[in-house]
PDB file of all heavy atoms in Angstrom:
ATOM      1  N   ALA A   1       0.867  -1.179   0.000  1.00 92.00           N
ATOM      2  CA  ALA A   1       0.000   0.000   0.000  1.00 92.00           C
ATOM      3  C   ALA A   1       0.900   1.223   0.000  1.00 92.00           C
ATOM      4  O   ALA A   1       1.550   1.535   1.003  1.00 92.00           O
ATOM      5  CB  ALA A   1      -0.919  -0.009   1.223  1.00 92.00           C
ATOM      6  N   LEU A   2       0.958   1.916  -1.124  1.00 92.00           N
ATOM      7  CA  LEU A   2       1.916   2.999  -1.311  1.00 92.00           C
ATOM      8  C   LEU A   2       1.600   4.168  -0.381  1.00 92.00           C
ATOM      9  O   LEU A   2       0.430   4.525  -0.176  1.00 92.00           O
ATOM     10  CB  LEU A   2       1.901   3.457  -2.762  1.00 92.00           C
ATOM     11  CG  LEU A   2       2.280   2.366  -3.775  1.00 92.00           C
ATOM     12  CD1 LEU A   2       2.095   2.872  -5.189  1.00 92.00           C
ATOM     13  CD2 LEU A   2       3.719   1.916  -3.558  1.00 92.00           C
ATOM     14  N   ALA A   3       2.654   4.750   0.183  1.00 89.00           N
ATOM     15  CA  ALA A   3       2.483   5.875   1.103  1.00 89.00           C
ATOM     16  C   ALA A   3       2.103   7.148   0.371  1.00 89.00           C
ATOM     17  O   ALA A   3       1.444   8.029   0.944  1.00 89.00           O
ATOM     18  CB  ALA A   3       3.770   6.094   1.905  1.00 89.00           C
ATOM     19  N   ALA A   4       2.498   7.285  -0.883  1.00 87.00           N
ATOM     20  CA  ALA A   4       2.160   8.485  -1.658  1.00 87.00           C
ATOM     21  C   ALA A   4       0.672   8.486  -1.996  1.00 87.00           C
ATOM     22  O   ALA A   4       0.067   7.431  -2.212  1.00 87.00           O
ATOM     23  CB  ALA A   4       2.989   8.535  -2.940  1.00 87.00           C
ATOM     24  N   ASP A   5       0.089   9.680  -2.023  1.00 84.00           N
ATOM     25  CA  ASP A   5      -1.324   9.833  -2.349  1.00 84.00           C
ATOM     26  C   ASP A   5      -1.462   9.964  -3.860  1.00 84.00           C
ATOM     27  O   ASP A   5      -1.375  11.059  -4.424  1.00 84.00           O
ATOM     28  CB  ASP A   5      -1.894  11.065  -1.639  1.00 84.00           C
ATOM     29  CG  ASP A   5      -3.399  11.185  -1.817  1.00 84.00           C
ATOM     30  OD1 ASP A   5      -3.996  10.275  -2.437  1.00 84.00           O
ATOM     31  OD2 ASP A   5      -3.978  12.168  -1.351  1.00 84.00           O
ATOM     32  N   TYR A   6      -1.668   8.837  -4.532  1.00 84.00           N
ATOM     33  CA  TYR A   6      -1.720   8.844  -5.985  1.00 84.00           C
ATOM     34  C   TYR A   6      -3.010   9.461  -6.517  1.00 84.00           C
ATOM     35  O   TYR A   6      -3.097   9.764  -7.704  1.00 84.00           O
ATOM     36  CB  TYR A   6      -1.575   7.414  -6.516  1.00 84.00           C
ATOM     37  CG  TYR A   6      -0.139   6.943  -6.577  1.00 84.00           C
ATOM     38  CD1 TYR A   6       0.570   6.658  -5.420  1.00 84.00           C
ATOM     39  CD2 TYR A   6       0.515   6.808  -7.793  1.00 84.00           C
ATOM     40  CE1 TYR A   6       1.878   6.244  -5.468  1.00 84.00           C
ATOM     41  CE2 TYR A   6       1.829   6.397  -7.854  1.00 84.00           C
ATOM     42  CZ  TYR A   6       2.515   6.114  -6.683  1.00 84.00           C
ATOM     43  OH  TYR A   6       3.820   5.722  -6.741  1.00 84.00           O
ATOM     44  N   GLU A   7      -4.015   9.641  -5.657  1.00 82.00           N
ATOM     45  CA  GLU A   7      -5.259  10.245  -6.114  1.00 82.00           C
ATOM     46  C   GLU A   7      -5.125  11.748  -6.282  1.00 82.00           C
ATOM     47  O   GLU A   7      -5.872  12.367  -7.039  1.00 82.00           O
ATOM     48  CB  GLU A   7      -6.385   9.934  -5.114  1.00 82.00           C
ATOM     49  CG  GLU A   7      -6.693   8.454  -4.952  1.00 82.00           C
ATOM     50  CD  GLU A   7      -7.201   7.836  -6.236  1.00 82.00           C
ATOM     51  OE1 GLU A   7      -7.854   8.559  -7.023  1.00 82.00           O
ATOM     52  OE2 GLU A   7      -6.927   6.645  -6.467  1.00 82.00           O
ATOM     53  N   ARG A   8      -4.178  12.355  -5.561  1.00 80.00           N
ATOM     54  CA  ARG A   8      -4.005  13.816  -5.618  1.00 80.00           C
ATOM     55  C   ARG A   8      -2.517  14.140  -5.715  1.00 80.00           C
ATOM     56  O   ARG A   8      -1.915  14.584  -4.739  1.00 80.00           O
ATOM     57  CB  ARG A   8      -4.631  14.480  -4.391  1.00 80.00           C
ATOM     58  CG  ARG A   8      -6.145  14.359  -4.339  1.00 80.00           C
ATOM     59  CD  ARG A   8      -6.696  15.057  -3.114  1.00 80.00           C
ATOM     60  NE  ARG A   8      -8.135  15.035  -3.076  1.00 80.00           N
ATOM     61  CZ  ARG A   8      -8.856  14.065  -2.551  1.00 80.00           C
ATOM     62  NH1 ARG A   8      -8.241  13.012  -2.037  1.00 80.00           N
ATOM     63  NH2 ARG A   8     -10.167  14.105  -2.544  1.00 80.00           N
ATOM     64  N   LEU A   9      -1.946  13.915  -6.854  1.00 83.00           N
ATOM     65  CA  LEU A   9      -0.547  14.263  -7.086  1.00 83.00           C
ATOM     66  C   LEU A   9      -0.505  15.677  -7.654  1.00 83.00           C
ATOM     67  O   LEU A   9      -0.584  15.888  -8.870  1.00 83.00           O
ATOM     68  CB  LEU A   9       0.092  13.265  -8.047  1.00 83.00           C
ATOM     69  CG  LEU A   9       0.266  11.832  -7.529  1.00 83.00           C
ATOM     70  CD1 LEU A   9       0.883  10.953  -8.603  1.00 83.00           C
ATOM     71  CD2 LEU A   9       1.112  11.808  -6.271  1.00 83.00           C
ATOM     72  N   ASN A  10      -0.399  16.651  -6.759  1.00 83.00           N
ATOM     73  CA  ASN A  10      -0.369  18.049  -7.179  1.00 83.00           C
ATOM     74  C   ASN A  10       1.053  18.602  -7.230  1.00 83.00           C
ATOM     75  O   ASN A  10       1.391  19.374  -8.111  1.00 83.00           O
ATOM     76  CB  ASN A  10      -1.221  18.902  -6.242  1.00 83.00           C
ATOM     77  CG  ASN A  10      -2.668  18.462  -6.233  1.00 83.00           C
ATOM     78  OD1 ASN A  10      -3.200  18.077  -7.255  1.00 83.00           O
ATOM     79  ND2 ASN A  10      -3.314  18.514  -5.077  1.00 83.00           N
ATOM     80  N   PHE A  11       1.859  18.230  -6.230  1.00 84.00           N
ATOM     81  CA  PHE A  11       3.235  18.691  -6.149  1.00 84.00           C
ATOM     82  C   PHE A  11       4.144  17.471  -5.971  1.00 84.00           C
ATOM     83  O   PHE A  11       3.807  16.543  -5.243  1.00 84.00           O
ATOM     84  CB  PHE A  11       3.441  19.647  -4.957  1.00 84.00           C
ATOM     85  CG  PHE A  11       2.527  20.835  -4.982  1.00 84.00           C
ATOM     86  CD1 PHE A  11       1.324  20.805  -4.291  1.00 84.00           C
ATOM     87  CD2 PHE A  11       2.866  21.972  -5.682  1.00 84.00           C
ATOM     88  CE1 PHE A  11       0.477  21.884  -4.305  1.00 84.00           C
ATOM     89  CE2 PHE A  11       2.022  23.061  -5.702  1.00 84.00           C
ATOM     90  CZ  PHE A  11       0.822  23.023  -5.014  1.00 84.00           C
ATOM     91  N   LEU A  12       5.297  17.496  -6.620  1.00 89.00           N
ATOM     92  CA  LEU A  12       6.267  16.420  -6.483  1.00 89.00           C
ATOM     93  C   LEU A  12       7.645  17.027  -6.246  1.00 89.00           C
ATOM     94  O   LEU A  12       7.960  18.120  -6.722  1.00 89.00           O
ATOM     95  CB  LEU A  12       6.305  15.537  -7.739  1.00 89.00           C
ATOM     96  CG  LEU A  12       5.071  14.674  -8.020  1.00 89.00           C
ATOM     97  CD1 LEU A  12       5.302  13.828  -9.256  1.00 89.00           C
ATOM     98  CD2 LEU A  12       4.728  13.799  -6.830  1.00 89.00           C
ATOM     99  N   ARG A  13       8.453  16.299  -5.493  1.00 87.00           N
ATOM    100  CA  ARG A  13       9.842  16.683  -5.250  1.00 87.00           C
ATOM    101  C   ARG A  13      10.746  15.749  -6.037  1.00 87.00           C
ATOM    102  O   ARG A  13      10.634  14.526  -5.928  1.00 87.00           O
ATOM    103  CB  ARG A  13      10.184  16.583  -3.761  1.00 87.00           C
ATOM    104  CG  ARG A  13       9.335  17.452  -2.875  1.00 87.00           C
ATOM    105  CD  ARG A  13       9.668  17.208  -1.421  1.00 87.00           C
ATOM    106  NE  ARG A  13      11.062  17.523  -1.149  1.00 87.00           N
ATOM    107  CZ  ARG A  13      11.800  16.914  -0.230  1.00 87.00           C
ATOM    108  NH1 ARG A  13      11.291  15.935   0.477  1.00 87.00           N
ATOM    109  NH2 ARG A  13      13.042  17.279  -0.030  1.00 87.00           N
ATOM    110  N   VAL A  14      11.615  16.331  -6.823  1.00 90.00           N
ATOM    111  CA  VAL A  14      12.597  15.556  -7.581  1.00 90.00           C
ATOM    112  C   VAL A  14      13.899  15.586  -6.787  1.00 90.00           C
ATOM    113  O   VAL A  14      14.474  16.652  -6.554  1.00 90.00           O
ATOM    114  CB  VAL A  14      12.808  16.137  -8.989  1.00 90.00           C
ATOM    115  CG1 VAL A  14      13.785  15.280  -9.775  1.00 90.00           C
ATOM    116  CG2 VAL A  14      11.471  16.253  -9.719  1.00 90.00           C
ATOM    117  N   LEU A  15      14.355  14.397  -6.350  1.00 87.00           N
ATOM    118  CA  LEU A  15      15.570  14.301  -5.536  1.00 87.00           C
ATOM    119  C   LEU A  15      16.796  14.256  -6.432  1.00 87.00           C
ATOM    120  O   LEU A  15      16.894  13.406  -7.323  1.00 87.00           O
ATOM    121  CB  LEU A  15      15.514  13.050  -4.648  1.00 87.00           C
ATOM    122  CG  LEU A  15      14.315  12.946  -3.695  1.00 87.00           C
ATOM    123  CD1 LEU A  15      14.413  11.670  -2.884  1.00 87.00           C
ATOM    124  CD2 LEU A  15      14.249  14.148  -2.770  1.00 87.00           C
ATOM    125  N   ARG A  16      17.717  15.168  -6.177  1.00 83.00           N
ATOM    126  CA  ARG A  16      18.970  15.161  -6.929  1.00 83.00           C
ATOM    127  C   ARG A  16      19.847  14.019  -6.408  1.00 83.00           C
ATOM    128  O   ARG A  16      20.349  14.076  -5.289  1.00 83.00           O
ATOM    129  CB  ARG A  16      19.694  16.492  -6.769  1.00 83.00           C
ATOM    130  CG  ARG A  16      18.996  17.685  -7.415  1.00 83.00           C
ATOM    131  CD  ARG A  16      19.923  18.883  -7.401  1.00 83.00           C
ATOM    132  NE  ARG A  16      19.317  20.043  -8.030  1.00 83.00           N
ATOM    133  CZ  ARG A  16      18.704  21.013  -7.353  1.00 83.00           C
ATOM    134  NH1 ARG A  16      18.604  20.937  -6.032  1.00 83.00           N
ATOM    135  NH2 ARG A  16      18.186  22.033  -7.991  1.00 83.00           N
ATOM    136  N   SER A  17      20.011  12.997  -7.201  1.00 75.00           N
ATOM    137  CA  SER A  17      20.813  11.845  -6.804  1.00 75.00           C
ATOM    138  C   SER A  17      22.241  12.037  -7.279  1.00 75.00           C
ATOM    139  O   SER A  17      22.471  12.462  -8.420  1.00 75.00           O
ATOM    140  CB  SER A  17      20.244  10.545  -7.389  1.00 75.00           C
ATOM    141  OG  SER A  17      18.915  10.358  -6.953  1.00 75.00           O
ATOM    142  N   HIS A  18      23.190  11.725  -6.413  1.00 63.00           N
ATOM    143  CA  HIS A  18      24.598  11.798  -6.767  1.00 63.00           C
ATOM    144  C   HIS A  18      25.124  10.379  -6.954  1.00 63.00           C
ATOM    145  O   HIS A  18      24.787   9.476  -6.179  1.00 63.00           O
ATOM    146  CB  HIS A  18      25.391  12.507  -5.676  1.00 63.00           C
ATOM    147  CG  HIS A  18      24.888  13.899  -5.412  1.00 63.00           C
ATOM    148  ND1 HIS A  18      25.151  14.952  -6.244  1.00 63.00           N
ATOM    149  CD2 HIS A  18      24.117  14.399  -4.414  1.00 63.00           C
ATOM    150  CE1 HIS A  18      24.581  16.047  -5.771  1.00 63.00           C
ATOM    151  NE2 HIS A  18      23.943  15.737  -4.655  1.00 63.00           N
ATOM    152  N   PRO A  19      25.913  10.149  -7.966  1.00 60.00           N
ATOM    153  CA  PRO A  19      26.425   8.784  -8.181  1.00 60.00           C
ATOM    154  C   PRO A  19      27.245   8.315  -6.998  1.00 60.00           C
ATOM    155  O   PRO A  19      27.960   9.091  -6.362  1.00 60.00           O
ATOM    156  CB  PRO A  19      27.282   8.922  -9.446  1.00 60.00           C
ATOM    157  CG  PRO A  19      27.595  10.380  -9.561  1.00 60.00           C
ATOM    158  CD  PRO A  19      26.431  11.106  -8.953  1.00 60.00           C
ATOM    159  N   ALA A  20      27.087   7.030  -6.681  1.00 56.00           N
ATOM    160  CA  ALA A  20      27.812   6.466  -5.537  1.00 56.00           C
ATOM    161  C   ALA A  20      29.317   6.465  -5.810  1.00 56.00           C
ATOM    162  O   ALA A  20      29.770   6.344  -6.956  1.00 56.00           O
ATOM    163  CB  ALA A  20      27.331   5.042  -5.256  1.00 56.00           C
ATOM    164  N   GLU A  21      30.060   6.609  -4.740  1.00 57.00           N
ATOM    165  CA  GLU A  21      31.526   6.627  -4.869  1.00 57.00           C
ATOM    166  C   GLU A  21      32.016   5.241  -5.267  1.00 57.00           C
ATOM    167  O   GLU A  21      31.631   4.238  -4.686  1.00 57.00           O
ATOM    168  CB  GLU A  21      32.141   7.054  -3.532  1.00 57.00           C
ATOM    169  CG  GLU A  21      33.655   7.142  -3.583  1.00 57.00           C
ATOM    170  CD  GLU A  21      34.225   7.562  -2.247  1.00 57.00           C
ATOM    171  OE1 GLU A  21      33.426   7.828  -1.326  1.00 57.00           O
ATOM    172  OE2 GLU A  21      35.454   7.601  -2.133  1.00 57.00           O
ATOM    173  N   GLN A  22      32.885   5.192  -6.279  1.00 55.00           N
ATOM    174  CA  GLN A  22      33.406   3.917  -6.770  1.00 55.00           C
ATOM    175  C   GLN A  22      34.789   3.693  -6.188  1.00 55.00           C
ATOM    176  O   GLN A  22      35.660   4.556  -6.262  1.00 55.00           O
ATOM    177  CB  GLN A  22      33.480   3.944  -8.292  1.00 55.00           C
ATOM    178  CG  GLN A  22      32.141   4.298  -8.874  1.00 55.00           C
ATOM    179  CD  GLN A  22      31.648   3.271  -9.821  1.00 55.00           C
ATOM    180  OE1 GLN A  22      32.377   2.405 -10.236  1.00 55.00           O
ATOM    181  NE2 GLN A  22      30.385   3.350 -10.131  1.00 55.00           N
ATOM    182  N   ILE A  23      34.994   2.529  -5.570  1.00 54.00           N
ATOM    183  CA  ILE A  23      36.282   2.181  -4.971  1.00 54.00           C
ATOM    184  C   ILE A  23      37.109   1.468  -6.031  1.00 54.00           C
ATOM    185  O   ILE A  23      36.772   0.370  -6.482  1.00 54.00           O
ATOM    186  CB  ILE A  23      36.088   1.302  -3.728  1.00 54.00           C
ATOM    187  CG1 ILE A  23      35.266   2.046  -2.695  1.00 54.00           C
ATOM    188  CG2 ILE A  23      37.426   0.870  -3.163  1.00 54.00           C
ATOM    189  CD1 ILE A  23      34.939   1.240  -1.470  1.00 54.00           C
ATOM    190  N   THR A  24      38.202   2.090  -6.437  1.00 62.00           N
ATOM    191  CA  THR A  24      39.067   1.512  -7.474  1.00 62.00           C
ATOM    192  C   THR A  24      40.411   1.040  -6.933  1.00 62.00           C
ATOM    193  O   THR A  24      41.119   0.283  -7.588  1.00 62.00           O
ATOM    194  CB  THR A  24      39.333   2.538  -8.585  1.00 62.00           C
ATOM    195  OG1 THR A  24      39.902   3.722  -8.006  1.00 62.00           O
ATOM    196  CG2 THR A  24      38.018   2.921  -9.273  1.00 62.00           C
TER     197      THR A  24
END
């Protein structure tokens, strides 16, 4: 049961994702 209210999607937040650090 999704926590987001899909019946009233008026505003959304787009999360800026940063690529994970790669161990070389």
Side-chain angles (χ1 to χ4, degrees):
L2 299 174
D5 186 3
Y6 279 71
E7 298 297 329
R8 293 181 176 88
L9 293 179
N10 300 323
F11 304 94
L12 291 182
R13 301 176 61 211
V14 182
L15 302 181
R16 292 190 179 97
S17 301
H18 302 284
E21 182 180 357
Q22 305 237 347
I23 300 176
T24 56

